[in-house]
């Protein structure tokens, strides 16, 4: 690009091409930089890829579109939870690369697995593809595209790639046979990791899949994204790759210095050097990480907001041969030695060991501009500030970069100014240009590359509406191209030809100041008949013209014209100007002038002192933050040929004119105030320079200035140095009150609210951010700002400018942003609804942290009389109904009036006693006693009321051909056969079924296993009808119906309020909720669920009398204390500990089965490996099974097996490359004997059981008999132990002994067990007329050592009675409990004598037609020689309190969350259980968070959990940044359901690689409710024998399985079912396959 042409009026816009893509009516947006390429036909083309996944081939000269093609539908920003950085589509964001050897264009695209625009959306359905496109015809090359979904990281097998949550932003890199791309996240959301992926350019094979959160980093730790604002991965062309990464939360090197040659596996906030291996894989060999890495993480200040750039060889100095530059969001620019990058905290005082650091005023998102000529310059584009210019210098082998100039204009206030770009004309000095693209102001600005007098010189500028943020100009043959987000592509250049060819430039060499060179003859040849009208010097006056004729002069084509010019330098250095010949021609298409470039070098024979810059400024320095202070540099120049000597240095802290005091040098350093000057030279050789370091290190906050007077033999110069230091800023965030008169301070537990906003109106309120710190503080910066702009909903931000990223506030300064709540038009008397939105923000205040600011708005409508007591309308709007269907729907017309309104009509119908009121045809009011039959879409009622144009009064339909009525119903009105309920109710039962209660889903399966696909027709009537022949019917999620003959294990009674969803087919009744069922049963049977304790269950007929007794005793010679630290148990179930075993080199010791989970315990692994000879646990969370050890696995004696199990802090689960190894015991099978005899009228049963608590054997026996009309049943059990090391204790859920009366043949068996603790509960099922039951309890205890027994709690209710006791371990303890229930026709009693540490007993009795109420009592006697152990509650629960944990960033528990003003512990636990998440944490009294493990730096053992629950003042629900954490001990990990009805699991099967789908006859999706039961029932209804779930939400059916589908490992089917998080529903190209048997 010739500066003479670019700076002239003939340079301008030559085309503006509209791109035709318009997905969903939105213009094309281009974020990927254009690629300019001259193809085999000799024509230069521009290749564009867009966010709509369209690709274009465009003529580079004319802008004409030659070819275009769509690759995929785009991904929708709406699926990214408010991340609207790119909106509304995301497609091909990254800049691709063209391989000139094959003419192949490589690029990536983001889309969905389903290419139907109406197909399934959402992040789980997102996909990324890698393409190879033929540049000639835009066709896809063979082996492409490549689907990246599910790619597993080579360096961290626990990480897999999910296209929906990742974003490919950096430009691609081509190196030899391989193509590479970097990946990050969307707005640092979700569980992402940075990736570097590589492909073979011919085969498409993935050669590298490197996760920046690598080995040893849990797969729940996000971070280290590689995005660089779209800048590219860099290479030196010699086998190395370089890039920079963003913030993360593994923080492996927190405060521990590490050499750059020992890169961590977590490459967060890092500049990284990798070697490219021969197979395409990558190996990190060096890195740099800022010393304040953890602080940068907390403020979201990515290092990698700009690319790591490799400077050309002109920037080498001494032993530093290769230099890189990178600038982050903190505003710091780092210059790195690429051959020794610096590692982490390896500098003095644990600071950065880099070449140089410069602190800019604000964040930087743009790569540096680099100009290697004329000494070398670097350009840094700072948000909201001018572009800074740094000059390179090399002093005694030490490189440095000194800020010498700024651009005259500031860069845009919002994100974001583009990457710095420079050009020159054939590498000629004096022709350098700096090009800046920006989103505000002049969008394309062009400057001379070499600044003058501290400023860049602007030579031209253009407006390009919609310029894409972070973009840069791209150049072709005399052309420059700009991309936009408004659907246009721009080209700039010179549209005309030059009439004269003058063969410039002309070089006059070196000339002394104020001397004149010899004249040179300039010769120009005419390209066309030309008239020259004049010649002049354009630019500086260092050149003179002479010896030309009087103008005008005519020169015919092919002839020449000459004139003369000379060089008369008035300053030293490289100088240039243009001789401008003004011309006219008779031919079209030629310019009116021809520039001739003249250049030369001015020199001085004497020494001349120069300074660059004249002023050094330190701004925003935190007092005492960095040891030794912060530094900049200044260049002292000798601009003359003679040597220069510095004769004196003087200092003043007053002004540039003094008074000055002489400064004494010590080791080439001197101090003036808080400023220290070092490396001060005593002299400078001719035409040389020296770099002086300036450090600012004030002891206190304040404003400082120093003036350095430098005297020399080349003159005197004064250097101004100013600095401002202060404390950290303090942020105050507020929101206006709904009436706009006050302000509410931000609290992260409470949403900012707009209050009530009436329909068809808007309310605007301001959010205000203030720097509340004192005047001695630094400025407050906004480091992250993601406003709710352009998002769906009734709340939004007015723009993206106010409080944007990069906003800076001085102490005491405020800034505001306006948000609105705009409620759409609606009818009167509709129910209110709420809207919400989120603004993500982080600030430079270290105490603020990343906040997700919530906004709420309550949308209301006008309420008309008559009103209810709560001031809501009695007549509620029911909708738009079809009239004449058939006949009049409301029979009585009260009036017809041009002033008709809905309020007028409602009042008239109310006065007339009608329950329904309707308005129609603008003016008519109709009343009636019954509801019209057909409701339609509200859009059909489209007539404005005669008396109020803001209301609707009926209409003629969207097709303008019907008749429709706007209907209102009296909420208190009841007519024969018609009920308008005010609220939904629980249906008591229908079709022979009676209501049983609200129940949870079962553990790991459905509570009722037979699904009925009722969908929108679901109601109690329809479901109970569909379940005829089954014992139970259950409704769930409003639209699901299930049947079964038993309630499966884990399905237990829940709070009635939990079942809160109305039925899809009848809104007046409830149909369960998420993971909650309204359960109905035939007759009045009690739900039979499996118990988790020693229990006796009896049932009796109407005339039977039954009693049962249980006796259990246990003794132990010693009591084992609970472990105080992690141990390696000698036995786990049927497995015994072997030792710590190594993994063999390059293989696994155990290869049969694997499981990795963040709640791993030895017991979980043992259960996973049931049936295998060995199991082993490694790295605290990985479980492996096998029947033999692989060769090379040997005993480890180095103590490597020392990692605590992630699911049990008292167990050891192996270590790095070390397995805690267990082997299956060979034991004698146990036996149990039982005999039962029954009669139809009465029964009796007795049983006894004993156990020896030795580790090798145990025995038990039980017997039962029946003989008379008065029946009794008894069970007794005893246990004893003589071993000091008893067998593992039996938990309350591990054993069950029961006897029941029934008509059944006799059977026998035997069993063995040992018990030291058991628990159960006593309950009596309700009857139709019973409201209470009875219980009595007594307990006694005696011991010669320690004994205690006391009732801990006794409760009696309508359906249960329970008692519990707590006692210290002793050699002998006894207690007894009596539970009885009596009725007119049936009775039952149970007596229990138990010896243990804690016992309760369960007994259930079927309900009878009547029951008498009695009173519960308890008595206790005890003797003790020591204090009692803490008491325990009798209401046994699988939820265990773990302790108080600290909140972190990101959140300690982050997988699900809810908040409520009625929050209780049980509410939170139920919510987390509905998400199948075992950890529940309560915070701030009202917030609930769920997860599988505490994340980040969160740990138990903190104080501060002291806030009462919002819904239960007697309970604690965490505190301020403190979580009360509970663990669900009965948690069952997701699994493939073994069977669904008659359909059996066949395993996990792959999709065929060709010839269609595995199952292709029929399919449907359910992105919120898909389960195995849902899928199978759907296929069963269609008569298909095969059913398979894929991608979590898809169901496929067929009569046969495609032969190309093969069985793969079950672990491949790893996507959770959205309808039941306890089930797996296949995965990408993987089917969980079921077949009818």
């Amino acid at each position: 690009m010739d500066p003479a042409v670019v700076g002239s009026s003939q340079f301008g816009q030559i085309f503006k091409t509209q791109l035709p893509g318009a997905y969903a009516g939105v213009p094309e947006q281009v974020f990927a930089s254009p690629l300019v390429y001259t193809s085999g036909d000799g024509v230069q083309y521009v290749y564009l890829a867009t966010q709509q996944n369209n690709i274009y081939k465009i003529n580079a000269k004319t802008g004409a579109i030659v070819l275009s093609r769509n690759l995929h539908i785009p991904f929708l920003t709406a699926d990214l939870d408010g991340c609207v950085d790119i909106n509304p589509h995301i497609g091909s964001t990254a800049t691709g690369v063209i391989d000139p050897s094959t003419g192949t264009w490589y690029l990536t695209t983001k889309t969905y697995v389903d290419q139907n625009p109406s197909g399934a959306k959402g992040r789980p359905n997102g996909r990324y593809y890698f393409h190879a496109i033929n540049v000639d015809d835009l066709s896809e090359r063979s082996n492409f595209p490549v689907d990246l979904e599910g790619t597993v990281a080579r360096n961290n097998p626990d990480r897999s790639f999910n296209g929906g949550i990742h974003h490919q932003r950096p430009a691609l890199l081509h190196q030899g046979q391989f193509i590479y791309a970097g990946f990050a996240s969307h707005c640092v959301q979700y569980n992402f990791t940075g990736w570097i992926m590589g492909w073979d350019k011919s085969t498409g094979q993935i050669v590298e899949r490197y996760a920046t959160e690598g080995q040893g980093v849990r797969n729940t730790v996000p971070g280290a994204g590689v995005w660089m604002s779209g800048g590219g991965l860099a290479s030196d062309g010699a086998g190395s790759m370089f890039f920079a990464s963003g913030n993360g939360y593994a923080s492996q090197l927190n405060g521990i210095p590490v050499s750059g040659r020992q890169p961590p596996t977590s490459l967060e906030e890092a500049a990284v050097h990798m070697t490219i291996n021969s197979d395409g894989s990558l190996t990190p060999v060096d890195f740099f990480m800022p010393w304040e890495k953890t602080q940068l993480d907390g403020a979201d200040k990515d290092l990698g907001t700009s690319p790591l750039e490799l400077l050309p060889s002109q920037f080498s100095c001494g032993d530093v041969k290769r230099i890189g530059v990178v600038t982050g969001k903190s505003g710091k620019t780092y210059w790195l030695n690429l051959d020794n990058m610096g590692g982490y905290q390896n500098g003095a005082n644990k600071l950065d060991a880099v070449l140089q650091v410069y602190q800019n005023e604000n964040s930087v998102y743009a790569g540096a501009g680099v100009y290697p000529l004329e000494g070398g310059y670097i350009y840094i584009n700072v948000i909201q500030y001018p572009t800074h210019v740094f000059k390179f210098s090399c002093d005694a082998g030490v490189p440095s970069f000194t800020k010498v100039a700024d651009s005259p204009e500031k860069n845009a206030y919002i994100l974001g100014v583009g990457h710095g770009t420079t050009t020159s004309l054939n590498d000629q000095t004096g022709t350098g240009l700096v090009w800046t693209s920006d989103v505000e102001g002049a969008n394309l600005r062009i400057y001379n590359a070499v600044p003058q007098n501290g400023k860049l010189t602007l030579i031209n500028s253009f407006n390009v509406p919609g310029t894409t943020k972070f973009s840069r100009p791209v150049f072709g043959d005399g052309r420059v191209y700009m991309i936009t987000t408004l659907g246009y592509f721009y080209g700039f250049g010179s549209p005309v030809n030059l009439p004269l060819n003058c063969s410039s430039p002309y070089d006059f060499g070196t000339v002394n100041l104020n001397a004149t060179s010899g004249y040179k003859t300039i010769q120009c040849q005419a390209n066309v008949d030309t008239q020259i009208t004049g010649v002049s010097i354009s630019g500086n006056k260092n050149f003179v013209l002479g010896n030309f004729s009087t103008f005008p002069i005519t020169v015919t084509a092919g002839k020449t014209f000459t004139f003369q010019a000379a060089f008369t330098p008035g300053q030293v250095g490289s100088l240039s100007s243009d001789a401008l010949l003004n011309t006219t021609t008779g031919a079209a298409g030629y310019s009116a002038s021809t520039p001739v470039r003249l250049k030369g070098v001015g020199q001085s024979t004497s020494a001349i002192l120069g300074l660059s810059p004249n002023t050094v400024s330190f701004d925003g320095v935190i007092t005492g933050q960095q040891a030794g202070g912060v530094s900049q540099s200044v260049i002292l120049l000798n601009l003359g040929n003679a040597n220069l000597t510095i004769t004196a240095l003087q200092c003043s802290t007053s002004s540039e004119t003094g008074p000055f005091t002489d400064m004494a040098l010590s080791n080439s350093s001197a101090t003036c105030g808080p400023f220290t000057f070092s490396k001060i030279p005593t002299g400078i050789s001719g035409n040389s320079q020296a770099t002086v370091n300036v450090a600012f290190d004030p002891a206190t906050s304040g404003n400082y200035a120093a003036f350095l007077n430098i005297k020399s033999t080349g003159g005197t110069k004064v250097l101004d140095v100013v600095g401002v230091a202060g404390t950290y800023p303090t942020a105050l965030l507020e929101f206006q009150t709904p009436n706009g008169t006050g302000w509410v301070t931000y609290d992260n537990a409470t949403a900012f609210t707009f209050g009530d906003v009436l329909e068809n109106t808007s309310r605007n309120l301001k959010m205000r951010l203030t720097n509340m710190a004192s005047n001695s503080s630094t400025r407050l910066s906004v480091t992250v700002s993601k406003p709710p702009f352009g998002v769906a909903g009734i709340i939004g931000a007015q723009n993206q400018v106010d409080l944007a990223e990069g906003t800076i506030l001085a102490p005491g300064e405020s800034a505001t942003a306006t948000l609105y709540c705009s409620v759409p038009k609606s009818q009167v008397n509709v129910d209110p609804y709420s809207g919400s939105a989120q603004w993500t923000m982080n600030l430079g205040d270290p105490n603020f942290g990343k906040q997700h600011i919530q906004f709420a708005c309550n949308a209301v409508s006008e309420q008309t009389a008559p009103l209810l007591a709560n001031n809501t309308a009695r007549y509620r709007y029911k909708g738009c109904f079809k009239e004449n269907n058939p006949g009049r729907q409301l029979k009585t017309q009260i009036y017809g009036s041009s002033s008709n309104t809905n309020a007028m009509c409602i009042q008239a119908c109310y006065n007339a006693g009608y329950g329904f009121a309707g308005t129609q045809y603008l003016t008519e009011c109709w009343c009636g006693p019954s509801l019209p039959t057909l409701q339609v879409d509200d859009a059909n009622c489209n007539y404005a009321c005669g008396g109020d144009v803001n209301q609707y009064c009926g209409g003629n339909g969207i097709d303008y051909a019907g008749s429709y009525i706007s209907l209102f119903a009296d909420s208190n009105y009841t007519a024969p056969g018609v009920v308008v309920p005010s609220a939904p109710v629980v249906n008591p039962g229908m079709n022979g079924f009676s209501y049983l209660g609200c129940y949870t889903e079962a553990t790991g399966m459905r509570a009722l296993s037979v699904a009925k696909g009722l969908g929108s027709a679901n109601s109690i009537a329809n479901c109970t009808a569909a379940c005829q022949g089954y014992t139970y019917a259950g409704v769930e999620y409003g639209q699901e119906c299930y049947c079964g003959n038993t309630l499966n294990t884990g399905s237990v009674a829940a709070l009635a309020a939990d079942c809160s969803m109305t039925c899809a087919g009848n809104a007046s009744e409830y149909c369960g909720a998420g993971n909650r069922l309204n359960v109905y049963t035939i007759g009045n049977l009690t739900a039979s669920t499996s118990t988790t304790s020693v229990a006796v269950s009896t049932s009796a007929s109407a005339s039977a009398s039954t009693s049962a007794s249980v006796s259990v005793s246990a003794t132990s010679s010693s009591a084992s204390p609970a472990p105080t630290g992690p141990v390696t148990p000698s036995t786990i179930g049927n497995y015994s500990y072997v030792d710590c075993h190594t993994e063999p080199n390059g293989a696994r010791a155990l290869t049969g089965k694997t499981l990795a989970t963040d709640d791993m315990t030895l017991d979980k692994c043992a259960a996973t490996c049931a049936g295998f000879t060995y199991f082993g646990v490694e790295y605290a969370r990985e479980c492996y099974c096998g029947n033999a050890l692989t060769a090379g696995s040997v005993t480890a004696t180095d103590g490597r097996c020392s990692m605590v199990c992630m699911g049990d802090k008292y167990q050891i689960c192996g270590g790095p490359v070390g397995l805690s190894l267990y082997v299956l015991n060979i034991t004698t099978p146990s036996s149990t004997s039982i005999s039962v005899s029954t009669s139809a009228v009465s029964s009796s049963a007795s049983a006894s059981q004993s156990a020896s608590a030795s580790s090798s054997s145990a025995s038990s026996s039980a017997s039962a008999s029946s003989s008379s009309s008065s029946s009794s049943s008894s069970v007794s059990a005893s246990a004893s132990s003589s071993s000091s090391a008893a067998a593992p204790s039996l938990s309350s859920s591990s054993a069950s002994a029961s006897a029941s009366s029934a008509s059944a043949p006799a059977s026998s068996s035997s069993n063995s067990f040992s018990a030291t603790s058991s628990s159960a509960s006593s309950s009596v099922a309700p009857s139709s007329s019973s409201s209470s039951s009875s219980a009595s309890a007594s307990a006694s205890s005696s011991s010669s050592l320690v004994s205690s027994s006391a009732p801990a709690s006794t409760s009696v209710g309508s359906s249960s009675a329970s008692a519990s006791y707590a006692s210290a371990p002793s050699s002998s303890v006894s207690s007894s409990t009596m539970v009885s229930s009596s009725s007119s026709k049936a009775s039952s009693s149970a007596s229990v004598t138990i010896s243990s540490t804690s016992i309760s007993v369960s007994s259930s009795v079927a309900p009878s037609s009547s029951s008498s109420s009695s009173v519960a009592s308890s008595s206790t006697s005890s003797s003790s020689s020591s204090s009692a152990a803490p008491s325990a509650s009798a209401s046994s629960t699988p939820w265990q309190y773990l302790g108080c944990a600290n909140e972190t960033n990101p959140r300690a528990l982050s997988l699900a969350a809810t908040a409520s003003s009625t929050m209780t512990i049980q509410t939170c636990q139920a919510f987390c259980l509905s998400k199948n998440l075992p950890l529940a944490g309560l915070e701030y009294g009202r917030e609930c968070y769920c997860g599988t493990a505490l994340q980040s730096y969160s740990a138990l053992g903190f104080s501060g959990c002291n806030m009462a629950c919002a819904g239960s003042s007697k309970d604690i629900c965490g505190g301020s940044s403190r979580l009360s954490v509970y663990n669900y001990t009965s948690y069952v990990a997701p699994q493939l359901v073994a069977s669904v009805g008659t359909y059996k699991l066949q395993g996990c099967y792959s999709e065929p690689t060709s010839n269609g789908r595995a199952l292709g006859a029929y399919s449907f999706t359910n992105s919120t409710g898909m389960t195995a039961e849902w899928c199978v029932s759907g296929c069963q209804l269609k008569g298909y024998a095969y059913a398979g779930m894929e991608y979590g939400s898809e169901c496929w059916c067929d009569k046969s399985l495609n032969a190309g589908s093969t069985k793969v490992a079950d672990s491949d089917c790893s996507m959770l079912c959205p309808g039941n998080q306890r089930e797996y529903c296949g995965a990408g190209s993987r089917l969980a396959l079921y077949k009818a048997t």
Side-chain angles (χ1 to χ4, degrees), residues 1059-1146:
C1059 291
S1060 57
M1061 285 188 178
T1062 57
C1063 300
N1066 185 352
S1068 68
E1069 57 191 19
Y1070 287 115
C1071 278
N1075 288 306
R1076 293 294 186 271
L1077 299 98
N1078 287 109
V1079 178
Y1080 294 80
T1081 182
I1082 288 290
N1084 291 313
L1085 293 179
T1086 303
S1088 175
T1089 63
S1090 63
T1091 63
T1092 59
S1093 62
V1094 179
V1096 176
S1097 174
T1098 65
S1099 61
S1101 64
S1103 61
S1105 173
T1106 303
S1107 66
S1109 66
V1110 177
S1111 174
V1112 180
S1113 64
T1115 62
S1116 175
S1117 61
S1118 65
S1120 301
T1124 59
V1127 297
T1128 301
S1130 58
T1131 59
I1132 297 293
N1134 294 327
Y1135 289 84
S1136 294
Y1137 181 64
V1138 178
D1139 59 18
C1140 180
H1141 251 58
T1142 67
E1143 290 281 16
N1145 290 331

Side-chain angles (χ1 to χ4, degrees), residues 608-616 634-638 644-652 656 660-663 665 670 677-684 690-692 694 706-721:
I608 300 177
L609 177 64
L611 281 179
S612 183
N614 294 318
T615 301
V616 175
V634 61
I635 300 176
L636 303 185
L637 304 105
N638 180 1
L644 179 147
T645 300
I646 295 177
T647 58
L649 289 174
Q650 296 178 317
C651 167
S652 173
E656 287 186 336
F660 290 103
T661 59
D662 291 334
M663 301 172 64
L665 286 181
F677 303 86
S678 57
K679 299 197 300 182
I680 301 174
T682 58
I684 306 173
T691 303
V692 176
V694 185
F707 305 93
L708 186 65
N709 192 43
I710 307 169
K711 295 183 176 181
S712 75
T713 56
T716 299
K717 293 287 186 180
V718 177
L719 172 67
D720 296 355
V721 186

Side-chain angles (χ1 to χ4, degrees), residues 18 51 161 219 241 366 377 465 582 694 863 930 1114 1246 1384 1387 1390 1592 1626:
Q18 183 173 8
Q51 293 296 354
F161 182 84
N219 61 8
M241 177 192 295
Y377 291 87
N582 299 319
V694 185
Q863 303 293 300
S930 59
S1246 65
S1384 59
S1387 65

Side-chain angles (χ1 to χ4, degrees), residues 1008 1029-1032 1043-1047:
L1008 301 172
Y1030 291 96
T1031 304
Y1032 297 100
C1043 316
N1045 290 318
T1046 59
L1047 281 172

Side-chain angles (χ1 to χ4, degrees), residues 321-342:
K321 303 300 183 185
R322 306 196 301 170
I323 297 177
V325 60
V326 62
T327 309
K329 198 187 291 187
S330 70
K332 284 187 176 181
T333 297
Y334 300 88
W335 282 274
L336 311 175
N337 182 347
L338 293 178
D339 296 313
N340 185 11
M341 297 180 73

